[in-house]
Amino acid sequence: MLSNLHTHTTYCDGKSTAEETVRFAIDAGFKSLGFSGHGYTPYDLRYCMQNVDGYIAEITALKEKYRDKIEIYLGTEEDSYYLCDRSRYDYIIGSSHYLKAEGKYIPVDSGVKYLTECIEISGSPVKFAEAYYSSFCDYIESRKPDIIGHF
């Protein structure tokens, strides 16, 4: 059974609209599709959803429109440093895209420049990994996301 629960659209950093994605999934024989737009992060607007209400409304409408062809789920990929209102979604993917250090959020997956900064602030690659995974595991234990992303 073909299914995908980690799907981004033009609401965040995806390349296709939600409806284009649904039509592609149906044509490819998917039985279910879960949308997981990057949750809003006020400390980094480059990739996150800024129109969360519009996203929720559109995915909800697509669930109804295509209900006889594919099962659609409304999710979000929440960042560990900015929690969403879980009651608005069918599921959440819990991810960590940042190292929080020296009062700022440094992306860990946005290129060599940022990764180098994370390592330099941490003192070594090992200390960076320890700080990142310690924080991420604390989030997972306390929040208990439905799916863990980018682990």
Side-chain angles (χ1 to χ4, degrees), residues 112-123:
V112 173
K113 174 185 139 192
Y114 292 114
L115 185 57
T116 300
E117 184 178 357
C118 289
I119 293 168
E120 287 173 356
I121 285 175
S122 300

Side-chain angles (χ1 to χ4, degrees), residues 37-141:
H38 282 287
Y40 179 74
T41 50
Y43 42 83
D44 187 356
L45 300 177
R46 293 174 303 140
Y47 78 102
C48 69
M49 290 190 293
Q50 295 180 45
N51 181 6
V52 174
D53 291 336
Y55 166 78
I56 290 172
E58 182 171 358
I59 303 306
T60 300
L62 291 171
K63 282 174 127 180
E64 179 62 24
K65 181 176 181 178
Y66 291 99
R67 72 173 184 255
D68 295 334
K69 296 182 176 157
I70 191 169
E71 195 165 345
I72 296 174
Y73 298 99
L74 170 63
T76 189
E77 184 177 359
E78 168 182 87
D79 188 76
S80 63
Y81 290 110
Y82 199 81
L83 307 183
C84 68
D85 177 356
R86 199 173 190 151
S87 69
R88 300 182 79 188
Y89 300 97
D90 297 326
Y91 67 98
I92 61 168
I93 297 175
S95 294
S96 181
H97 299 97
Y98 301 91
L99 173 69
K100 185 177 180 185
E102 299 181 355
K104 60 183 180 176
Y105 301 88
I106 307 161
V108 299
D109 55 1
S110 294
V112 173
K113 174 185 139 192
Y114 292 114
L115 185 57
T116 300
E117 184 178 357
C118 289
I119 293 168
E120 287 173 356
I121 285 175
S122 300
S124 75
V126 171
K127 288 181 181 178
F128 159 62
E130 288 172 345
Y132 173 82
Y133 284 109
S134 175
S135 174
F136 192 27
C137 288
D138 288 347
Y139 158 80
I140 292 166
E141 278 187 19

